[in-house]
Amino acid sequence: MGYKEWKYGLHKLTQKDINSLLFPKGVLLKIVPSYSSLDSMVEMQRVLYLLQQYPGRFSFEIWKDDKISIRIFCSSGTVEGMLKGQLSSIYPNVVVKRSETSIPDLKAGEYVTTCSLTLRGVELNLKCSGDFGYDPLRHLLEAINSHSCKIVVQVLFERLNKISKNNKIILEQKYGDDLFFRGSKIPALKCLIRVAAISNDRYKAREGCTHIARIFSVFDTDRTHLAPRIVSFPLVTNSYGVLSSMVQRTFPFFSDRFLISVQELASMVHLPVGAEGSGVK
């Protein structure tokens, strides 16, 4: 690897790298979209509340290979039936099936670059579904369609099993002291948003990753914003390490995780309006 590639967090994939990407225990579902409306952002809140009752990790993913596709990962296989039923109740004629692949098709010699979204400001203050008069994911789909590189956008989330002192203060300020008598019904989760772009052109890979990450500014408010943190001058991990963690659907110890409310998460985790007409297959 050259100095410039290392400096900008680029990693040139080898066949050994690709063979080492292992899928974790769990279920990856591919969702073939049908008609959806803005109301689905509100209805998805019910699904997310239900997912809070289950242990393990979940992720909502938008892939672009030859076409754009949407997937949901569940580390617990017991969730599969419930999730299929809930999605069918929200989206008419939706098709939910097990994904045949755990990652987009990768080839030796391609460059990968990654980034995560760091929350700057006060947690639990991103835009919620009720703050939009349009579907924010449409911006994301349009941006993804404008690039020729392969792209993976991953929103990883998990219920709060332990609440730190700092998080407890944030939750009490947001929801009041009586929140902690609700147990697992606390309407907040931990979240990690990551983007990976892969191309045989290293400049296209970096440009695509940076552009897609900046689209998340649509969720910003005057109190908080999501800032892209591109992997560069990697000391602890490089873009391949981040890609491997994305495939494993894990929260690394050193990661830009943050608290997110169910209402905020629903604005990111849903089938976008017009997905069936935006190249999503």
Side-chain angles (χ1 to χ4, degrees):
M1 188 194 313
Y3 172 74
K4 286 187 177 180
E5 295 169 5
W6 176 82
K7 174 183 176 182
Y8 292 113
L10 288 157
H11 180 85
K12 191 173 183 178
L13 291 169
T14 65
Q15 193 58 49
K16 182 179 179 181
D17 290 335
I18 297 169
N19 294 341
S20 298
L21 294 172
L22 301 176
F23 185 73
K25 181 181 178 181
V27 177
L28 184 63
L29 301 174
K30 181 178 180 181
I31 304 173
V32 181
S34 62
Y35 171 78
S36 59
S37 68
L38 282 176
D39 292 338
S40 73
M41 285 194 286
V42 177
E43 292 173 348
M44 275 300 293
Q45 293 179 29
R46 181 184 76 245
V47 180
L48 294 173
Y49 278 120
L50 289 172
L51 291 181
Q52 279 189 292
Q53 309 307 313
Y54 292 86
R57 307 176 310 281
F58 304 91
S59 71
F60 176 80
E61 303 175 6
I62 301 176
W63 296 7
K64 182 187 177 185
D65 198 340
D66 54 336
K67 300 288 185 180
I68 297 177
S69 58
I70 295 175
R71 287 168 169 79
I72 293 181
F73 169 78
C74 319
S75 64
S76 172
T78 59
V79 185
E80 183 178 0
M82 182 277 290
L83 187 56
K84 285 182 176 180
Q86 290 296 322
L87 291 174
S88 297
S89 71
I90 297 174
Y91 303 104
N93 304 316
V94 71
V95 177
V96 183
K97 57 186 179 181
R98 290 204 176 192
S99 176
E100 297 176 355
T101 57
S102 59
I103 53 172
D105 184 37
L106 303 177
K107 293 180 174 61
E110 290 181 321
Y111 292 92
V112 57
T113 186
T114 60
C115 77
S116 58
L117 278 296
T118 302
L119 190 138
R120 305 273 175 83
V122 184
E123 290 176 296
L124 304 178
N125 278 277
L126 293 169
K127 284 184 180 178
C128 299
S129 50
D131 297 322
F132 291 99
Y134 58 92
D135 192 328
L137 292 188
R138 286 301 299 273
H139 293 289
L140 196 58
L141 291 182
E142 290 169 4
I144 291 172
N145 268 324
S146 70
H147 291 279
S148 60
C149 54
K150 301 169 188 176
I151 291 170
V152 179
V153 177
Q154 183 183 84
V155 181
L156 183 68
F157 55 97
E158 185 178 15
R159 73 182 187 183
L160 295 173
N161 294 317
K162 294 182 180 180
I163 302 175
S164 67
K165 183 177 180 180
N166 288 338
N167 285 346
K168 185 175 181 180
I169 292 172
I170 293 170
L171 290 165
E172 286 177 341
Q173 291 173 342
K174 183 73 175 180
Y175 299 109
D177 294 343
D178 64 330
L179 172 72
F180 295 95
F181 292 102
R182 305 178 197 173
S184 61
K185 294 183 180 179
I186 293 171
L189 308 95
K190 66 178 180 181
C191 179
L192 175 61
I193 304 173
R194 294 177 287 195
V195 179
I198 304 101
S199 174
N200 53 17
D201 185 317
R202 60 186 181 182
Y203 298 105
K204 286 183 178 180
R206 184 168 176 82
E207 180 186 19
C209 186
T210 304
H211 180 208
I212 300 304
R214 287 176 178 166
I215 298 298
F216 278 87
S217 63
V218 299
F219 299 101
D220 294 351
T221 66
D222 57 352
R223 299 197 68 193
T224 192
H225 67 280
L226 292 169
R229 189 164 73 88
I230 308 292
V231 172
S232 57
F233 291 102
L235 298 176
V236 177
T237 188
N238 59 14
S239 284
Y240 176 73
V242 176
L243 178 66
S244 179
S245 177
M246 290 176 71
V247 173
Q248 289 285 324
R249 279 83 178 176
T250 56
F251 287 90
F253 185 78
F254 294 104
S255 64
D256 294 307
R257 69 187 73 182
F258 56 89
L259 277 181
I260 192 168
S261 70
V262 167
Q263 293 81 5
E264 291 170 316
L265 187 60
S267 67
M268 303 178 189
V269 176
H270 63 272
L271 291 188
V273 173
E276 68 282 1
S278 300
V280 180
K281 301 294 183 182

